[in-house]
Amino acid sequence: MHVPPAYAPAPARLRAWIVAHPFAQVVTSGPAGPLATATPLVFETDDPGETRLVGHIARRNPQAATLAGPALAIFSGPDAYVSPRSYLGKPDLPTWNYVAVQARGPLTPLDDVADARAVLARAIHVMERRRRDPWSMAEADPARVAALSPHIRAFRLRIERVEGAMKLSQTKPPGERTNVIAALAADGAAEVAALMREEA
């Protein structure tokens, strides 16, 4: 991933981004070329040094046969077009502000039924724990879980390298950043504008 130094966040920020935005494109390679599936990935444990992500896809998905070997997980954040009209100073060219994080490493399929259910339970726990009344897989109909479990293929991705870019007009003077924030907010790109305010 090409990341200019001005846009490179600290490693802790990359991990926090994955935790906060777990929906990823998982990319593997098959006989016909690259394959990608959108699916949530969560850290296998809450250990701050955890380097393993777990997830699952439908077993009938052709990509399920490629869940072994090198893989890339792409976590995308909000993005927005920045018009030259956003700047009050010297004329500039159009650009794009965005957040993107990539995690690379080997994938291992988890075909044991108990492992697959553990992955589902972990994902549910992570997604539900912010809710006032969290739901757990223990509340699900056991027959329903047993019927659906064979139709998924769970996997583990061990992160060997994580990279990311937060391109939020960091190279612009503070006054121009303020102008861009206002322009993005007016254009309906509130998430990117909010991130720019945080970075400021």
Side-chain angles (χ1 to χ4, degrees):
M1 183 179 190
H2 174 65
V3 184
Y7 307 137
R13 191 79 188 272
L14 297 177
R15 179 188 175 85
W17 191 267
I18 291 172
V19 170
H21 304 85
F23 201 60
Q25 290 282 346
V26 177
V27 183
T28 58
S29 184
L35 296 166
T37 297
T39 189
L41 298 180
V42 297
F43 283 100
E44 193 163 13
T45 70
D46 290 328
D47 185 324
E50 179 64 85
T51 60
R52 298 165 300 177
L53 294 166
V54 291
H56 74 280
I57 63 174
R59 193 170 285 274
R60 66 184 177 186
N61 181 335
Q63 190 178 5
T66 71
L67 298 183
L72 169 67
I74 303 170
F75 301 83
S76 296
D79 64 272
Y81 171 76
V82 179
S83 169
R85 299 233 185 267
S86 302
Y87 307 112
L88 297 182
K90 65 179 182 180
D92 211 327
L93 296 172
T95 189
W96 211 276
N97 279 2
Y98 65 90
V99 177
V101 176
Q102 296 183 0
R104 297 174 187 271
L107 268 187
T108 304
L110 300 173
D111 288 328
D112 183 84
V113 172
D115 286 341
R117 290 187 184 182
V119 167
L120 290 177
R122 171 64 181 168
I124 291 166
H125 170 72
V126 169
M127 296 297 107
E128 290 278 339
R129 64 183 168 192
R130 299 185 190 103
R131 299 175 65 85
R132 184 177 302 165
D133 181 25
W135 184 88
S136 77
M137 205 163 77
E139 298 177 60
D141 177 3
R144 177 77 170 153
V145 174
L148 293 180
S149 294
H151 299 286
I152 67 166
R153 194 172 198 204
F155 58 87
R156 176 185 292 120
L157 188 158
R158 182 170 54 82
I159 300 174
E160 292 182 340
R161 189 165 85 233
V162 63
E163 301 166 300
M166 298 186 79
K167 183 180 177 297
L168 300 169
S169 301
Q170 292 96 320
T171 59
K172 299 297 181 187
E176 290 290 34
R177 285 173 55 82
T178 299
N179 296 334
V180 172
I181 289 169
L184 291 177
D187 288 345
E191 285 185 273
V192 177
L195 282 171
M196 290 184 65
R197 287 190 199 97
E198 289 174 22
E199 289 300 301

